Amino acid sequence: MADKARIGVLVMSYGTPESMDQIEEYYTHIRHGRKPSPEQLQDLIHRYEAIVGGFFPLRKNTDRQVAALEDALNRGDGRYTFQCYQGLKHAKPFVADGVEEMAKDGLKEAIGLVLAPHYSTMSVGSYIKEARTKADELGISMQFVESYHLNPSLIQALTNRVMQEMAAFSSEGTGKDEVEVLFTAHSLPERILAMKDPYPVQLMETAKIVAEKSGITRWRFAWQSAGRTAEPWLGPDILDVLRKLRHEENTRNVLVCPVGFVSDHLEVLYDVDIECQALAAELGMNLKRTESLNIDPLYMEALRSSILSVLENHKAAAR
Ligand code: FEC
């Protein structure tokens, strides 16, 4: 019997420091080589101190997601053997390191996937560009999942989470009509709109279908975690939305569903769980958040099916 085809899978993700003393280097990388000011650095250290308690959750979560995905892929019909590699945007192993590892292991064919479901040239596009350049240099034939924001398993996993929290509101005696659902994602500089970047539209499509499937009629979209730079970022910002909801619409119950993120990390554990919660408490609001996807089997299925679909399409085109 012929050997099974070996396929490399480069799983790309944002990356996080491994220890407090790596925060400056990490932050400098995010800022394209410009060191943060002492105040900016202190502010970021403070945010990590508030969430990490000795370990950086994103690293552990990404490790677990990659292991679970490799498992799910190899439980398939046996035609292929998949080997997963990590490629991080702002920490080691970097995207190019992951591609190099695949080459060292003798892989000639690979699929690349970014864990973030929505495509922007500034996020997913830049991961793909880096991976493609390295793969071309090393002679690996590489195809990419560009986005999977409407994958049925992803939508089901998110819908389950919204319904779970709506049930929690209900058990406290709060009806569906009294809760505003805020779907959120990482803001990006406003200039992406002029570039006709698909990011905002894809996010809205995910939010709309999850709302429909959960039977939610009260919902809107808000941006979170905007960068601390001088240029304008996409809004409305979630903090402003919370103030508006309370002061102008007398809403007291809010469910935040961060559809743009797939894991527990700083932007969820600090920006939502600490910063938004503090504002909600000040405003006298009851704020809940949907659980992150992490290694939910449905989420793994979304990744697995997206990878297989790109692989099959490529094979069919080559025939
Ligand atoms: O837990 C962790 O250690 C890391 C959490 C983390 C995730 C994440 C995801 C995205 N970002 C995106 C865009 C930008 C742009 C800038 C930017 C800046 C930061 C800073 C930190 C940070 N991001 Fe991030 N992001 C995470 C963390 N991000 C820390 C720097 C300090 C700050 O502003 O808070 C601005 C860069 C610049 O200054 O030029 C732009 C996008 C995503 C979601 C897609 C993805 O995962 O790639 C888009 C997780």
Side-chain angles (χ1 to χ4, degrees), residues 187 222-226 234-243 275:
S187 181
W223 298 96
Q224 62 164 91
S225 317
L234 294 173
D237 184 82
I238 186 167
L239 298 173
D240 294 331
V241 173
L242 289 176
R243 289 187 195 96
E275 199 178 28

Side-chain angles (χ1 to χ4, degrees), residues 12-170:
M12 294 175 276
S13 167
Y14 204 78
T16 186
E18 261 167 314
S19 60
M20 285 292 173
D21 58 13
Q22 286 181 5
I23 293 178
E24 183 170 13
E25 187 188 342
Y26 172 71
Y27 202 172
T28 305
H29 194 274
I30 290 178
R31 291 167 48 86
H32 313 281
R34 287 173 291 123
K35 273 193 174 198
S37 68
E39 295 73 34
Q40 287 171 318
L41 179 61
Q42 207 37 56
D43 174 62
L44 185 55
I45 289 174
H46 157 78
R47 284 185 276 146
Y48 275 114
E49 276 171 353
I51 65 153
V52 297
F55 73 99
F56 286 74
L58 182 57
R59 191 163 288 269
K60 193 175 130 209
N61 284 330
T62 308
D63 289 350
R64 290 167 68 213
Q65 284 171 325
V66 175
L69 174 61
E70 187 172 88
D71 225 47
L73 283 165
N74 285 320
R75 267 186 269 119
D77 61 13
R79 274 180 299 159
Y80 307 106
T81 304
F82 293 94
Q83 264 172 271
C84 287
Y85 296 79
Q86 278 193 46
L88 308 179
K89 192 172 186 189
H90 297 299
K92 287 182 194 150
F94 289 105
V95 169
D97 300 334
V99 181
E100 250 170 40
E101 281 307 306
M102 294 198 290
K104 271 191 209 146
D105 288 348
L107 286 153
K108 297 270 174 260
E109 210 178 335
I111 305 287
L113 164 121
V114 179
L115 290 174
H118 305 88
Y119 185 94
S120 165
T121 37
M122 282 186 79
S123 61
V124 173
S126 73
Y127 291 82
I128 292 181
K129 196 170 160 198
E130 209 177 319
R132 201 191 298 278
T133 306
K134 198 68 190 175
D136 287 349
E137 188 188 310
L138 298 175
I140 299 179
S141 159
M142 200 162 177
Q143 319 305 318
F144 294 90
V145 175
E146 296 209 335
S147 62
Y148 59 96
H149 69 294
L150 292 177
N151 180 288
S153 302
L154 174 77
I155 300 302
Q156 191 58 53
L158 291 168
T159 303
N160 291 350
R161 278 163 173 69
V162 168
M163 293 180 70
Q164 183 183 326
E165 296 311 316
M166 292 310 274
F169 273 111
S170 168

Side-chain angles (χ1 to χ4, degrees), residues 175-196:
K176 226 178 197 175
D177 298 347
E178 296 171 85
V179 183
E180 182 83 22
V181 180
L182 292 182
F183 294 101
T184 68
H186 202 295
S187 181
L188 281 177
E190 243 178 50
R191 67 188 138 90
I192 65 154
L193 298 179
M195 294 152 60
K196 299 265 179 288

Side-chain angles (χ1 to χ4, degrees), residues 241-310:
V241 173
L242 289 176
R243 289 187 195 96
K244 184 171 165 15
L245 279 169
R246 184 67 188 95
H247 294 315
E248 295 175 25
E249 301 175 30
N250 201 24
T251 299
R252 285 185 179 271
N253 301 290
V254 174
L255 172 60
V256 178
C257 177
V259 281
F261 297 121
V262 299
S263 182
D264 280 322
H265 51 55
L266 192 70
E267 316 297 74
V268 171
L269 301 174
Y270 187 87
D271 295 359
V272 178
D273 291 358
I274 296 181
E275 199 178 28
C276 291
Q277 277 295 4
L279 178 62
E282 200 185 304
L283 295 169
M285 296 172 99
N286 177 10
L287 183 149
K288 297 189 194 296
R289 165 177 72 79
T290 52
E291 273 177 25
S292 298
L293 296 170
N294 293 323
I295 52 165
D296 183 330
L298 269 176
Y299 175 49
M300 291 304 124
E301 175 51 27
L303 300 180
R304 190 191 76 91
S305 53
S306 305
I307 288 168
L308 285 183
S309 139
V310 168

